[in-house]
Amino acid sequence: MAAVTAEPLPTRIAAIALGVGDLDCIYHFALPELRESLIELDNPDQPELLDMMVEGMRLRDISDLPFDLAV
């Protein structure tokens, strides 16, 4: 099961992505833009949390969804 989100706060995304594990993956419709905006805000915790979810394959860009469905 997967979810698609436009949530701008990594802490809220983490609540879903790292929660009880019911979802296999969460797709964000603007992941590169979200990462850029978090870097501009100069809050080190938010980009760190975002990177943790991406590296753990819990959060992916929406452009990956068609390829994941094709497999």
Side-chain angles (χ1 to χ4, degrees):
M1 191 171 358
V4 176
T5 187
E7 177 58 50
L9 296 175
T11 50
R12 290 184 184 162
I13 297 170
I16 299 168
L18 305 174
V20 295
D22 291 341
L23 296 175
D24 297 320
C25 188
I26 298 184
Y27 295 90
H28 197 281
F29 91 103
L31 189 57
E33 292 83 359
L34 175 60
R35 180 173 279 143
E36 288 176 25
S37 67
L38 292 174
I39 291 169
E40 287 179 19
L41 290 175
D42 197 30
N43 181 345
D45 295 336
Q46 297 293 323
E48 212 173 275
L49 181 59
L50 187 73
D51 289 339
M52 180 186 72
M53 289 185 288
V54 170
E55 290 169 9
M57 302 296 288
R58 302 294 297 157
L59 180 63
R60 297 175 56 107
D61 188 62
I62 192 71
S63 65
D64 295 327
L65 181 58
F67 300 109
D68 292 346
L69 292 175
V71 174

